[in-house]
Amino acid sequence: MQTSLLPAKTTRETALEKINAINLGAYARTRNALDGRVTQLSPYLTHGITDVPEIIARLSQKSKVGWEDKFIFELGWREYFHHVWSRLGDDIWRDQTAPLASTYASELPHDIATATTGVAIIDEQIRTLYQRGYLHNHARMWLASYIVHVRKIDWRVGARWMIRYLLDGDMASNTLSWQWVAGTWTGKPYLFNAENVAKYAPDSDNAGTVIDTNYAVMDQIARGDKPILAAPQSRRGLIETSSPPLLNIDAALAIASELGFNFCDELPADSPVLLMHPWAIVKSTLRDAAVIGLIVPAFHTEYLWSEARWRFVFGAMREMTETIFVTSGAINNQFAARNINIINTLNPFYNDIVEQVQTRGATIISTPRAFINPDKCQRSFSSFWHKAQKAPFPI
């Protein structure tokens, strides 16, 4: 079993250590391999513990960094997905082009949920997802491609399933990556086969499975309407893996109590406050402002999280504050809105709070970005990146 990503040290300190450990050359050479020198910074980025501008600034302090670096290119993908989200909103959950097949299932099959498909790389990575709350990006693409194109499961089903267990479950990156794999974003699907797996995960034996074929056949499978299951004998003897339990809001807040948080029913009426939500766990630079964690249960009813993710988020929040404000969606009328500061977010239900306080004079802090955010939605990463490179490099 692989070890958890949950840090033994303070979360912010761990994020900075990971940034300092980045080797741009090694990353570029090995990033596609499951044992490559990837950064595993994504949980810290998702929850605002660090951000792309800070990462680039810190890297530039120790070495020359530029547009040609593969790591910078990958950071660009993250900001591209958030650019699309900022322009399309909830429509990121809608097919942008026609799907390849005529029908897809609306539920995740039992053998996928329990890692007993009989396809080694798929079962291995499902267990890794459950055990670590993290997957290498290549593994995410393989898993999504298998679920959508081989098993004919609607990509939205897979996206919602995966985001529940990822410590770095990011609404934009996760949703649009699944669309990209499904082919409903660009019209071109992402396909893989056993040969591709062998190149980047040589310890995984997928000989004789459905993916042990050429790309022409994989394309035919993707465009067909019939799901392809592993032969029964290949699944014989497999031990089912249970997914980690998903916590309702009461169980989540019990963790907060365990970690020593206090709960407030109202916001202060006459003193400055920084509301810190799960996607902006930042150290306050606002003078004399009280930092208060914000939790909106409606989001966490719609998108349940594992215990590991709640502990990651609350652990990071606890470094910054000992107080949490839990709201059903309405902010008390007593406080002076001009005293409220909050970092913007597009996450559903939380963005309702942002809009609510904004109309009453609160200060909305922009989410940090390193690259441009064009007014018009860019339909491809290449067009976005081309525009980005017309601006000075962000250091």
Side-chain angles (χ1 to χ4, degrees):
M1 178 183 294
Q2 294 171 290
T3 57
S4 170
L5 279 183
L6 293 175
K9 299 179 181 179
T10 58
T11 310
R12 171 71 177 164
E13 180 184 353
T14 305
L16 297 181
E17 287 180 355
K18 287 182 177 293
I19 296 171
N20 292 335
I22 294 173
N23 182 312
L24 294 175
Y27 176 88
R29 290 191 302 272
T30 69
R31 60 173 296 275
N32 284 325
L34 292 200
D35 61 355
R37 286 285 298 276
V38 295
T39 68
Q40 297 188 0
L41 271 169
S42 50
Y44 306 89
L45 278 166
T46 292
H47 294 293
I49 298 164
T50 186
D51 54 53
V52 174
E54 179 180 50
I55 292 172
I56 294 175
R58 285 183 170 270
L59 284 175
S60 67
Q61 291 173 5
K62 65 176 185 177
S63 61
K64 183 179 179 181
V65 184
W67 297 109
E68 69 280 1
D69 288 302
K70 185 62 177 175
F71 182 65
I72 301 301
F73 183 83
E74 295 304 321
L75 292 177
W77 268 100
R78 173 183 172 79
E79 292 210 349
Y80 169 65
F81 285 144
H82 279 255
H83 153 71
V84 172
W85 192 23
S86 72
R87 300 297 173 249
L88 295 187
D90 290 343
D91 278 352
I92 62 171
W93 288 97
R94 297 180 59 182
D95 292 341
Q96 299 299 306
T97 63
L100 271 68
S102 62
T103 182
Y104 293 88
S106 59
E107 294 184 3
L108 196 72
H110 179 78
D111 66 314
I112 293 177
T114 58
T116 53
T117 69
V119 180
I121 191 62
I122 299 302
D123 295 339
E124 290 159 5
Q125 296 311 309
I126 293 171
R127 289 193 291 269
T128 298
L129 172 66
Y130 290 162
Q131 293 165 2
R132 300 190 67 208
Y134 176 83
L135 283 176
H136 186 285
N137 188 59
H138 224 148
R140 299 182 196 213
M141 294 194 299
W142 292 336
L143 190 51
S145 185
Y146 173 81
I147 287 173
V148 175
H149 299 308
V150 177
R151 299 299 299 275
K152 304 300 173 185
I153 312 300
D154 190 294
W155 66 264
R156 283 162 282 253
V157 174
R160 283 182 171 271
W161 166 70
M162 187 177 283
I163 204 171
R164 290 175 174 173
Y165 301 104
L166 288 169
L167 295 181
D168 63 10
D170 178 90
M171 194 70 68
S173 297
N174 183 68
T175 305
L176 291 168
S177 292
W178 277 81
Q179 281 236 52
W180 185 82
V181 168
T184 55
W185 179 250
T186 63
K188 181 180 179 180
Y190 170 77
L191 305 175
F192 78 110
N193 62 9
E195 182 180 2
N196 180 253
V197 173
K199 182 177 180 180
Y200 298 112
D203 293 336
S204 182
D205 182 7
N206 295 276
T209 68
V210 62
I211 66 170
D212 189 13
T213 187
N214 59 49
Y215 278 100
V217 172
M218 295 304 298
D219 187 71
Q220 290 175 0
I221 291 173
R223 297 178 188 280
D225 291 329
K226 183 180 179 181
I228 309 298
L229 282 70
Q233 61 267 24
S234 69
R235 301 199 301 272
R236 193 171 298 142
L238 294 176
I239 299 175
E240 294 186 356
T241 300
S242 298
S243 59
L246 299 169
L247 305 190
N248 61 30
I249 191 62
D250 291 334
L253 295 179
I255 293 175
S257 295
E258 173 194 324
L259 294 176
F261 281 102
N262 302 314
F263 298 92
C264 63
D265 297 324
E266 295 183 347
L267 296 175
D270 53 7
S271 58
V273 168
L274 173 65
L275 280 180
M276 183 179 62
H277 52 73
W279 294 275
I281 306 177
V282 295
K283 188 172 184 178
S284 175
T285 58
L286 301 173
R287 186 174 181 180
D288 300 326
V291 179
I292 297 178
L294 173 67
I295 297 296
V296 183
F299 175 92
H300 303 287
T301 300
E302 181 75 16
Y303 299 96
L304 296 174
W305 284 354
S306 65
E307 179 180 349
R309 187 166 186 185
W310 275 114
R311 289 193 178 277
F312 183 89
V313 167
F314 280 143
M317 277 190 170
R318 191 63 182 83
E319 292 184 354
M320 310 299 180
T321 182
E322 60 182 23
T323 305
I324 288 180
F325 175 58
V326 182
T327 177
S328 61
I331 300 292
N332 57 287
N333 293 319
Q334 293 85 358
F335 78 94
R338 65 180 178 276
N339 291 325
I340 297 296
N341 302 270
I342 185 170
I343 294 180
N344 198 15
T345 179
L346 295 173
N347 282 282
F349 303 103
Y350 282 88
N351 65 348
D352 292 340
I353 299 297
V354 172
E355 292 174 3
Q356 187 180 150
V357 298
Q358 183 177 28
T359 60
R360 294 162 64 180
T363 298
I364 310 302
I365 304 169
S366 297
T367 305
R369 286 184 65 92
F371 309 115
I372 61 168
N373 189 11
D375 292 335
K376 182 180 179 181
C377 182
Q378 302 300 297
R379 295 296 305 175
S380 71
F381 175 77
S382 60
S383 64
F384 167 81
W385 199 235
H386 178 72
K387 290 179 180 293
Q389 292 181 80
K390 290 183 178 181
F393 188 77
I395 55 174

